[in-house]
Amino acid sequence: MEIKTFKNSYLSSTKDALKSAFYHENSNERFNEWEFAENLLSSEGYLPELCVVALEGENVVGYNALTKAKIGDHHGLALGPLGVRKEYQNIGIGTALVKECISRAKRMGFSWIALLGGDYYSRFGFESGKQYGITVTENEFDNEHLQILFLDQSAERNICGKLVYCDAFYDDNGNLL
Ligand SMILES: CC(C)(COP(=O)(O)OP(=O)(O)OC[C@H]1O[C@@H](n2cnc3c(N)ncnc32)[C@H](O)[C@@H]1OP(=O)(O)O)[C@@H](O)C(=O)NCCC(=O)NCCS
């Protein structure tokens, strides 16, 4: 398995991998993680260097993207979607994708990464955004799942306000994907 920067020729295989990771019976046909990978390519929030895939031969088996985000006036990154093909889960691919993105983001000088997610992310040092007064929607469930990782130990922790993702994360009604 190798980690590579995403390129357009991986798109079809990437969408297959994300569908395998995320598909469920009530998946929205247009606003879902696999369509997101395509929509992102034309988004102002797309950062090509921070969009990576895990390759097994020519096949994409995992995907992770960091995109432009803001909390109040502070510019940073949002993580996701992160997905690994079902039959390749639990063998370290998700971990490798996240670690690669974190190290690239550090090199590029970003100071934080935020995400909506569960316990999986604590292993990388993500912590609850609640203690910093960071929110993402009016919904308490969403806010409970908001996590942040500060990339620079000396980075100021006085970030608070609403996390705003790039346009690709919102549907036509302005709801988060
Ligand atoms: C979540 C996901 C990206 C993890 O990637 P992965 O390659 O399967 O995971 P890794 O092999 O890197 O890590 C495995 C470890 O993570 C844990 N783990 C896997 N999924 C988890 C989850 N959803 N919540 C908490 N822990 C999880 C495993 O129990 C295992 O723990 P261990 O190291 O203590 O044994 C992958 O399982 C996936 O694509 N799931 C479906 C889509 C999804 O939920 N994406 C994340 C959205 S927030």
Side-chain angles (χ1 to χ4, degrees):
M1 190 274 297
E2 51 181 348
I3 306 285
K4 295 262 189 174
T5 303
F6 175 88
K7 56 182 180 181
N8 285 355
S9 60
Y10 298 146
L11 182 60
S12 159
S13 185
T14 294
K15 288 172 87 168
D16 273 1
L18 286 172
K19 197 164 186 176
S20 159
F22 285 100
Y23 180 82
H24 57 85
E25 222 174 279
N26 300 319
S27 290
N28 186 306
E29 277 179 34
R30 275 184 66 211
F31 297 103
N32 54 52
E33 289 77 2
W34 51 99
E35 294 302 337
F36 176 90
E38 184 162 0
N39 295 339
L40 184 57
L41 301 174
S42 54
S43 163
E44 40 81 29
Y46 180 50
L47 295 164
E49 278 302 307
L50 295 178
C51 188
V52 298
V53 293
L55 284 179
E56 197 64 55
E58 287 302 296
N59 291 326
V60 172
V61 295
Y63 171 92
N64 188 37
L66 298 179
T67 55
K68 289 183 193 170
K70 274 179 88 175
I71 297 172
D73 292 335
H74 300 266
H75 293 270
L77 297 167
L79 185 151
L82 164 70
V84 175
R85 256 196 117 81
K86 271 208 164 41
E87 56 284 24
Y88 287 86
Q89 289 178 3
N90 288 310
I91 55 168
I93 293 176
T95 300
L97 288 164
V98 173
K99 285 188 170 167
E100 177 65 22
C101 280
I102 290 173
S103 96
R104 290 184 183 202
K106 276 186 186 163
R107 275 204 308 272
M108 289 167 77
F110 286 98
S111 54
W112 55 263
I113 302 172
L115 60 81
L116 278 172
D119 294 344
Y120 180 67
Y121 296 97
S122 59
R123 71 191 62 217
F124 307 107
F126 282 86
E127 50 181 337
S128 167
K130 203 172 182 178
Q131 63 195 304
Y132 300 105
I134 304 168
T135 60
V136 63
T137 65
E138 304 299 308
N139 180 329
E140 204 37 44
F141 179 85
D142 292 340
N143 295 332
E144 292 286 343
H145 287 82
L146 193 140
Q147 299 177 42
I148 188 158
L149 172 70
F150 292 99
L151 298 173
D152 173 358
Q153 285 313 308
S154 63
E156 290 205 22
R157 303 303 203 249
N158 63 351
I159 293 177
C160 77
K162 187 172 174 182
L163 170 69
V164 179
Y165 286 86
C166 70
D167 53 359
F169 277 86
Y170 298 92
D171 69 15
D172 296 341
N173 300 317
N175 297 316
L176 259 182
L177 178 67

